[in-house]
Amino acid sequence: QVQLVESGGGSVHTGGSLRLSCAASGPTLDYTHMGFFRQTPGKGREGVACIAISSGSVYSLPSFQGRFVLSSDNAGRTIYLQMNSLKPEDTGEYFCAASWRRQPLCTEYHFGAWGHGTQVTVSS
């Protein structure tokens, strides 16, 4: 079983930046993809961006393109979400997740392991 631990959340003002990290550990790290998801009250858990570990190919949901950038380290054990030009509507709990599917969609239903989340608060 893989353990995922997020870090880097916090409180910023509108226009600020944060960098989230997610570190994976465990006896078997054979997932194919990792991603960040955001949960906000009343909206459920939505995909932000996902990355294919072997190729490094990234898919970002349209609403985050241009502001959020997902990357990973060479080993594929840590991913990073650079969040720029933050807005109050970006406030939420951000979760890291891993998938073992061959070609998962960047949706919570295709990811099977989850971290505990890190809170991001953007104030105006």
Side-chain angles (χ1 to χ4, degrees):
Q1 185 73 14
V2 62
Q3 289 80 47
L4 303 171
V5 178
E6 305 94 336
S7 60
S11 298
V12 296
H13 291 292
T14 298
S17 298
L18 284 173
R19 189 191 195 208
L20 305 184
S21 299
C22 172
S25 62
T28 305
L29 301 177
D30 57 351
Y31 44 82
T32 60
H33 293 70
M34 294 180 73
F36 272 102
F37 298 78
R38 179 175 76 188
Q39 186 161 18
T40 55
K43 200 172 182 178
R45 195 171 293 186
E46 61 177 336
V48 175
C50 296
I51 185 167
I53 298 302
S54 60
S55 67
S57 176
V58 175
Y59 174 75
S60 297
L61 278 292
S63 57
F64 302 102
Q65 292 176 5
R67 296 192 302 126
F68 292 9
V69 179
L70 183 64
S71 61
S72 71
D73 65 356
N74 290 334
R77 296 189 177 185
T78 302
I79 61 173
Y80 307 94
L81 184 68
Q82 178 66 42
M83 305 188 295
N84 301 318
S85 302
L86 284 163
K87 308 172 184 178
E89 51 264 43
D90 292 318
T91 294
E93 189 83 7
Y94 285 71
F95 294 87
C96 173
S99 176
W100 283 260
R101 289 180 177 239
R102 183 178 179 184
Q103 291 182 316
L105 298 176
C106 196
T107 169
E108 61 173 314
Y109 305 107
H110 285 192
F111 284 71
W114 293 85
H116 292 292
T118 185
Q119 177 68 33
V120 171
T121 302
V122 185
S123 57
S124 57

